Amino acid sequence: MSLINRDAMLIFPKQPLYDWQNYIFSRAPLTFGNEPFGHEKGIVFLIPEMDDSTHFEKWIQKNYKEFFEELLFGWCTDESLWPSKRNHKMFREWFHVSYQSMVQDTMDIPLEQDED
């Protein structure tokens, strides 16, 4: 195993995201137990290395919008249905964010990137 020159951010949905999803779509209500991307199935983002969690907090306050939009798009591709007044406070209310300062690669093969 080897350390890589990235930190990681794990993001998990919270109840306000499900409330919004249930409001815009008329189907069986989503809860932590029956949604396609459950609370136990967060998304991992590799991010720049940070000095510490204080540095991360400053960084995410500057960069939350990109992640908020990426996550909303995963739930609803119609941007007209997204909340119009998105801010850092709302991002933190809708998502649990976990900062991880040590990332180890457990594979002996090179990383592959999707060329989207």
Side-chain angles (χ1 to χ4, degrees), residues 63-91:
N63 295 284
Y64 77 90
K65 184 178 178 183
E66 178 181 354
F67 295 99
F68 205 164
E69 292 174 356
E70 178 73 19
L71 293 160
L72 289 177
F73 188 81
W75 288 83
C76 175
T77 58
D78 184 350
E79 295 179 24
S80 70
L81 297 174
W82 293 3
S84 59
K85 297 181 180 180
R86 298 180 300 274
N87 57 34
H88 181 257
K89 182 178 185 275
M90 177 186 256
F91 174 70

Side-chain angles (χ1 to χ4, degrees), residues 15 17 22:
Q15 190 61 49
L17 175 74
N22 291 334

